[in-house]
């Protein structure tokens, strides 16, 4: 794994398109960087969080396209 442990699963404390999909029984995945001040003038995300999330997105795409498990 990229971060050394499984990502958490379950409800989330915000609204996005995944909520709409779930209303219709469609599984959805929501994941992004940890930051502060979301949707404000002072929103920020540490660079290491952007790198972490980029790795997860890239490895997920590779696994999906190749239908193979991710190893690193």
């Amino acid at each position: 794994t990229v971060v050394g442990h499984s990502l958490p699963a379950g409800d989330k404390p915000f609204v996005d398109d995944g909520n709409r999909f779930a209303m219709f029984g469609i599984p959805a995945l929501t994941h992004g960087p940890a930051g502060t001040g979301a949707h404000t003038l002072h929103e920020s995300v540490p660079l290491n969080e952007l790198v972490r999330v980029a790795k997860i997105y890239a490895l997920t795409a590779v696994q999906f396209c190749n239908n193979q498990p991710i190893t690193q």
Side-chain angles (χ1 to χ4, degrees):
T1 65
V2 172
V3 295
H5 57 82
S6 297
L7 297 174
D11 296 336
K12 54 192 179 352
F14 54 86
V15 176
D16 66 5
D17 291 340
N19 298 83
R20 174 73 67 180
F21 294 141
M23 286 175 28
F24 294 100
I26 302 169
L29 175 71
T30 301
H31 185 69
T36 59
H39 311 297
T40 70
L41 294 175
H42 304 288
E43 182 172 13
S44 67
V45 175
L47 184 57
N48 65 326
E49 272 296 292
L50 294 178
V51 171
R52 180 189 66 80
V53 171
K55 286 179 182 178
I56 290 171
Y57 292 164
L59 291 171
T60 300
V62 167
Q63 179 183 10
F64 180 80
C65 291
N66 291 327
N67 197 23
Q68 297 178 357
I70 297 172
T71 58
Q72 185 177 1

